[in-house]
Amino acid sequence: GAHAGGGGGRGSGGASSGACGDGCEEIVVVGERGGAFFGEDAFFYSFEQLGIVTFNETTAVTGARILEARIALINVLINELLNKKLRDKVGDCKHTACDRITRSLNMEETMLLNDLIALAEQVVRDRAAGLPDPTGGALFFNYREIGGRFPNLKLLSTLPHKIYPNRVPISVIGPFENRCPKTVPACGSDLGATGIYLVLFTLR
């Protein structure tokens, strides 16, 4: 994803909703357009932060499955927030895109950002109500330039994570076009303009 900015939010409080059931950490949704507490130790992250990370990760890619990709990405971020070893990486501008906006947005971008904040809130509320995670528990993601070959799971098994080989690809969403490809130096991207897929990973 495209990274620019940084910062995360912490807090405490919130009562258990009992929606999670046995054997999993819980999401407790709080105030209107506020945010949610993740896990028994009540780690707070706002809907706005989730929406901004999603905006920064997806604003450069377009395609028919972009809504599906955004919903999946928000679910992966939730899974990371529920994981004590990963939560501080969400919005850190390195592991994921930043959770703050560091440039001026035009009207279209502002509308998209507001839509993504609302989408993040809905996904959090759905998960807190016990709806299943459509990613199957994915903990990591990145964009891969795969080209014209439709990347089924057999192909994905030959595409380990570039930096972390212990991460196993479990699903793929795409294809997308990249409006900020590597041919534009200012973008700082290592991806081309077409044949881009969002790949979701779990651990071996």
Side-chain angles (χ1 to χ4, degrees):
H3 303 337
R10 285 183 177 273
S12 61
S16 173
S17 66
C20 181
D22 295 332
C24 65
E25 292 197 84
E26 199 162 14
I27 305 168
V28 181
V29 180
V30 294
E32 191 68 24
R33 297 306 292 266
F37 295 102
F38 295 88
E40 294 177 356
D41 57 341
F43 179 89
F44 182 80
Y45 208 73
S46 72
F47 302 135
E48 183 178 32
Q49 287 172 293
L50 280 170
I52 290 172
V53 174
T54 307
F55 176 88
N56 287 333
E57 286 285 359
T58 64
T59 190
V61 293
T62 60
R65 299 180 69 185
I66 189 62
L67 178 59
E68 180 185 354
R70 286 168 171 155
I71 291 171
L73 195 148
I74 293 167
N75 276 282
V76 175
L77 295 174
I78 290 171
N79 295 339
E80 293 179 335
L81 290 167
L82 286 167
N83 186 307
K84 293 180 183 179
K85 294 182 179 179
L86 297 175
R87 60 176 47 157
D88 286 328
K89 298 179 181 296
V90 176
D92 68 356
C93 311
K94 183 178 179 181
H95 176 79
T96 75
C98 301
D99 60 8
R100 68 181 181 189
I101 300 294
T102 59
R103 61 182 177 85
S104 297
L105 303 182
N106 60 35
M107 184 176 296
E108 181 181 355
E109 290 173 322
T110 300
M111 291 175 62
L112 173 60
L113 177 58
N114 287 332
D115 287 346
L116 291 177
I117 293 169
L119 179 63
E121 179 177 1
Q122 185 59 56
V123 172
V124 169
R125 292 185 182 278
D126 287 347
R127 289 283 297 271
L131 270 65
D133 170 10
T135 74
L139 287 169
F140 310 95
F141 63 89
N142 74 350
Y143 289 100
R144 304 299 297 271
E145 184 177 349
I146 300 175
R149 301 173 296 168
F150 184 78
N152 57 33
L153 287 178
K154 183 175 180 180
L155 172 60
L156 282 178
S157 67
T158 69
L159 298 171
H161 194 286
K162 295 178 182 178
I163 302 174
Y164 305 103
N166 64 324
R167 298 182 185 179
V168 181
I170 55 174
S171 64
V172 61
I173 303 171
F176 300 109
E177 294 182 358
N178 180 16
R179 294 185 293 192
C180 207
K182 56 189 174 186
T183 52
V184 180
C187 290
S189 174
D190 62 353
L191 299 172
T194 60
I196 308 302
Y197 291 80
L198 179 68
V199 183
L200 308 183
F201 297 84
T202 188
L203 291 173
R204 291 188 187 278

